[in-house]
Amino acid sequence: MEHQPTRSPAAGDPSRVIETVFRMESPRVIAGVARIVRDVAIAEELAQDALVAALERWPRDGVPDNPGAWLMATAKHRAIDLVRRRERYARKLAEVGRDLEATPYHVDEPADPDDIDDDLLRLVFTACHPVLSAESRIALTLRLLGGLTTAEIARAFLVPETTVAQRIVRAKRTLAAKGVAFEVPYGPERDARLGSVLEVIYLIFNEGYAATAGDDLLRPALCEDALRLARVLAELMPKEPEVHGLASLLEFQASRSAARTGPNGEPVLLGDQNRTRWNRLLIARGVTALGRADAVATGAPGPYALQAAIAACHAHAHRYEDTDWARIVALYGLLAARSPSPVVELNRAVAVSMAEGPGPALEIVDRLAGEPALRGYHLLPSVRGDLLARLGRTAQARGEFERAASLARNERERELLRARAQDCR
């Protein structure tokens, strides 16, 4: 039987209030319940049961003064009832019972914030476990931590809803079958798992920042979800420099979102962007997060901190012509040494073209032509086309832009590349 807190009349439509509260509180509710039942799938079901209870009671009785605590308490009491009903959880029941006697849960009092944070951190590491595929990690993270529905995730990534549903179901089954512990790992395993967590958040943001397919260049909701997750993680793990590095990078990148598209949604290249439209508040947050990364770092900066430092160079330049390209080239050199990849080298080539001219950059790009990882990557011929155009080799540039357009899956990028090819005529 759930405790009944003091209630206040709901302001506006209770169903909308419930939806908003649940989207905000569901990650903490799932995390808190998962600590009891040790199963993410069951925890999500119990959180949904609490939502159903809210939909039944709040329109009739009014929204509780502390709706998040009400949902948490309701879900936890149902979790405890579930444990009691299952004989195979007898030992766990004894442990949970002792914990409950020591720390009773009252819906009219906020739970210990540190306790909630610990649970949330466990949920982050569980949803992003490397035993899952990248696609499954992303879907499960957005479902459990982002509060998105299956339909919303499917729309964001332009895949059928059934595909997303299958990924989430398989992810939960895999976690259960592999016996993945609901815990924050330590030592080398923690380092490996943290990399997976950061990668998932990074991939979610990138898909929103430059959509790989579809008619729109940006998907702001995905950027907002990833940025919120990065901020939460930075508060939960204040001594991890790469967590702050990722948060800083996303703040800087998000600050340019409003200037990256024109009135009709067409892409606006970095050199043509109206920098007065860059969000100075997000830039300030990026600077602060980068400072925190530097303050807690004990060695050389990691890949996310280096990328954030590159983004900071752009943020500090009031005009495109003021960009410190020499420093960006140096930072890309450090990034290539720390985290070598053809994509990093391609980005370094762009910076070299601005610092030293298109000729030296073209040599770098031509060396990348045979890289298997860049086969079918539309930005390789796009960069090469730009360098050739700047060297006056317009016929070759046109061919590269046309090839890039044929490889691009995003319609807005295709339009831009076709226009650039047309300009070469």
Side-chain angles (χ1 to χ4, degrees):
M1 187 73 178
E2 294 85 356
H3 296 285
Q4 299 296 325
T6 304
R7 301 182 183 279
S8 60
D13 182 0
S15 63
R16 294 186 62 182
V17 173
I18 295 169
E19 179 184 354
T20 301
V21 170
F22 188 75
R23 184 178 287 260
M24 293 172 59
E25 298 294 336
S26 62
R28 290 180 174 81
V29 174
I30 294 170
V33 174
R35 181 159 57 88
I36 298 173
V37 299
R38 300 287 172 177
D39 188 302
V40 170
I42 294 175
E44 187 184 11
E45 291 177 4
L46 292 170
Q48 291 289 336
D49 287 346
L51 172 62
V52 171
L55 288 169
E56 292 174 349
R57 300 184 186 188
W58 293 6
R60 180 191 67 211
D61 302 333
V63 177
D65 292 334
N66 193 334
W70 191 98
L71 289 170
M72 178 74 81
T74 300
K76 282 186 174 181
H77 279 289
R78 296 189 178 208
I80 295 166
D81 289 342
L82 177 63
V83 171
R84 286 173 176 155
R85 286 198 303 268
R86 296 184 176 184
E87 290 184 358
R88 65 177 179 270
Y89 286 142
R91 293 181 181 177
K92 188 178 294 186
L93 173 60
E95 178 182 342
V96 170
R98 286 193 296 272
D99 290 343
L100 287 174
E101 290 176 3
T103 309
Y105 295 105
H106 299 292
V107 295
D108 54 345
E109 297 179 4
D112 182 353
D114 292 333
D115 185 45
I116 291 177
D117 287 351
D118 287 344
D119 290 342
L120 191 58
L121 193 56
R122 293 185 186 101
L123 184 60
V124 171
F125 275 88
T126 302
C128 297
H129 196 286
V131 74
L132 305 175
S133 68
E135 294 82 4
S136 296
R137 279 181 253 157
I138 290 172
L140 190 60
T141 300
L142 287 175
R143 183 77 180 92
L144 298 182
L145 293 156
L148 274 67
T149 65
T150 303
E152 288 171 333
I153 300 170
R155 284 199 300 272
F157 286 91
L158 302 181
V159 295
E161 187 173 344
T162 54
T163 300
V164 172
Q166 289 169 359
R167 287 175 182 172
I168 294 174
V169 169
R170 282 197 300 266
K172 294 174 183 176
R173 288 176 179 170
T174 299
L175 293 175
K178 297 290 185 181
V180 173
F182 185 69
E183 64 182 9
V184 178
Y186 295 92
E189 185 183 355
R190 176 171 174 169
D191 293 338
R193 293 267 290 276
L194 179 59
S196 175
V197 170
L198 298 180
E199 179 188 24
V200 167
I201 296 174
Y202 182 67
L203 290 174
I204 292 171
F205 183 89
N206 278 353
E207 184 58 31
Y209 191 71
T212 55
D215 296 330
D216 299 317
L217 180 69
L218 301 177
R219 295 188 185 130
L222 280 181
C223 290
E224 291 167 5
D225 283 319
L227 188 54
R228 180 172 61 82
L229 290 174
R231 289 170 178 169
V232 168
L233 197 60
E235 293 300 319
L236 297 178
M237 307 183 71
K239 296 182 180 180
E240 291 290 344
E242 276 293 78
V243 173
H244 293 298
L246 177 62
S248 174
L249 173 62
L250 302 194
E251 299 282 7
F252 282 131
Q253 297 293 76
S255 72
R256 303 201 294 261
S257 295
R260 293 187 65 239
T261 54
N264 298 315
E266 68 277 9
V268 179
L269 299 177
L270 181 62
D272 299 325
Q273 289 176 15
N274 178 359
R275 300 194 173 206
T276 63
R277 299 189 67 198
W278 288 6
N279 189 314
R280 308 314 297 184
L281 174 61
L282 293 183
I283 289 175
R285 292 181 66 105
V287 171
T288 300
L290 187 55
R292 289 174 179 163
D294 292 338
V296 298
T298 56
Y304 293 114
L306 286 169
Q307 291 180 73
I310 292 169
C313 290
H314 293 295
H316 291 317
H318 293 290
R319 299 181 307 159
Y320 186 69
E321 296 79 10
D322 299 332
T323 306
D324 190 349
W325 290 108
R327 173 165 171 73
I328 291 177
V329 170
L331 288 168
Y332 268 122
L334 294 174
L335 182 60
R338 180 69 187 267
S339 183
S341 82
V343 174
V344 170
E345 194 66 7
L346 182 62
N347 287 328
R348 188 176 77 86
V350 174
V352 167
S353 76
M354 301 305 300
E356 304 173 20
L362 186 60
E363 295 178 9
I364 299 173
V365 172
D366 286 344
R367 290 198 296 268
L368 295 172
E371 285 286 348
L374 297 182
R375 187 178 298 119
Y377 187 52
H378 70 286
L379 291 182
L380 177 62
S382 173
V383 170
R384 192 167 191 274
D386 181 71
L387 297 176
L388 289 168
R390 289 166 59 186
L391 289 168
R393 295 158 60 177
T394 54
Q396 291 175 281
R398 181 174 67 250
E400 290 294 320
F401 284 132
E402 289 173 347
R403 178 167 170 262
S406 70
L407 294 173
R409 295 168 54 202
N410 184 278
E411 182 58 34
R412 294 296 189 177
E413 287 188 295
R414 274 197 297 266
E415 292 173 356
L416 174 64
L417 291 165
R418 287 170 184 155
R420 299 203 68 186
Q422 185 65 30
D423 291 342
C424 292
R425 293 182 185 276

